[in-house]
Amino acid sequence: MMMMMGSSDPLTIGRVIGDVVDSFTPSVKMTVTYNNNKQVYNGHEFFPSSVSTKPRVNIHGGDLRSFFTLIMTDPDVPGPSDPYLREHLHWIVTDIPGTTDATFGKEVIKYEMPRPNIGIHRFVMVLYKQKTRQMLTKLPNSRDLFNTRKFAIENDLGTPVAALFFNAQRETACRKR
């Protein structure tokens, strides 16, 4: 019997489950690293300047025949207390081979660095296992008002196989010291 994510799971506590995706059972491990040394752990905070370039995404648990799609969004736009522009799309990579990392996938929406203005924003990365290679048919025409669930349904991606999120807030001159 498979375990569903419980109430102590960071994705549940951080409201990624609910705001971005429905509850799911992770089946692969995904590691995300910025600048070759800053690994993303659920709920950790990063300065936007430290996540300005696209991260390295490694998938553990795939094989030569599996391909994955990675979606990164900000569900807290313009601010976490009233996210009426939810979600803002930051990145989509498809056809990521199951034995390597996202640098070998096909970047269909270029990486856009986090630029939170009001409050602490969550930046969510959701990984889906594709049924076949090159299967995305409906690409978003805008980064604004993106919907991860709807995108997954439209492209027949099924339920997520992994997800991670980090927090970031606007950097001020005094915070950068």
Side-chain angles (χ1 to χ4, degrees):
M1 199 165 112
M2 298 232 289
M3 294 283 296
M4 292 300 282
M5 290 194 170
S7 57
S8 63
D9 180 81
L11 295 173
T12 304
I13 295 165
R15 295 189 334 275
V16 169
I17 304 289
D19 288 353
V20 181
V21 293
D22 295 324
S23 190
F24 70 97
T25 303
S27 57
V28 300
K29 186 177 179 334
M30 170 174 67
T31 53
V32 177
T33 313
Y34 279 95
N35 306 319
N36 295 324
N37 64 353
K38 290 185 167 67
Q39 190 171 335
V40 174
Y41 295 97
N42 281 319
H44 282 215
E45 186 166 340
F46 287 91
F47 288 119
S49 59
S50 70
V51 292
S52 61
T53 56
K54 65 185 172 190
R56 183 178 183 96
V57 178
N58 288 304
I59 298 161
H60 316 272
D63 58 43
L64 291 167
R65 293 179 310 280
S66 48
F67 292 91
F68 296 87
T69 293
L70 178 76
I71 299 168
M72 177 178 166
T73 70
D74 173 357
D76 297 317
V77 182
S81 59
D82 184 18
Y84 64 89
L85 295 175
R86 169 181 299 163
E87 300 161 51
H88 183 80
L89 178 61
H90 280 269
W91 199 28
I92 295 180
V93 185
T94 66
D95 296 332
I96 304 165
T99 53
T100 170
D101 62 59
T103 54
F104 292 96
K106 191 169 126 202
E107 194 176 41
V108 292
I109 301 292
K110 292 239 177 285
Y111 183 82
E112 180 184 276
M113 77 173 275
R115 286 191 190 87
N117 271 327
I118 309 159
I120 298 172
H121 288 231
R122 295 163 296 163
F123 293 89
V124 179
M125 295 182 201
V126 184
L127 189 70
Y128 293 91
K129 185 173 183 181
Q130 297 171 200
K131 292 182 172 75
T132 60
R133 203 169 173 181
Q134 298 172 333
M135 66 173 278
L136 289 197
T137 52
K138 292 200 160 102
L139 289 178
N141 50 13
S142 166
R143 289 180 184 264
D144 297 320
L145 298 170
F146 181 79
N147 185 308
T148 300
R149 280 185 189 93
K150 189 169 158 235
F151 181 81
I153 291 165
E154 287 173 348
N155 287 287
D156 194 25
L157 290 170
T159 55
V161 293
L164 266 176
F165 80 102
F166 65 89
N167 296 319
Q169 58 186 311
R170 187 175 178 173
E171 285 178 68
T172 57
C174 60
R175 282 189 71 216
K176 277 187 183 171
R177 271 190 225 137

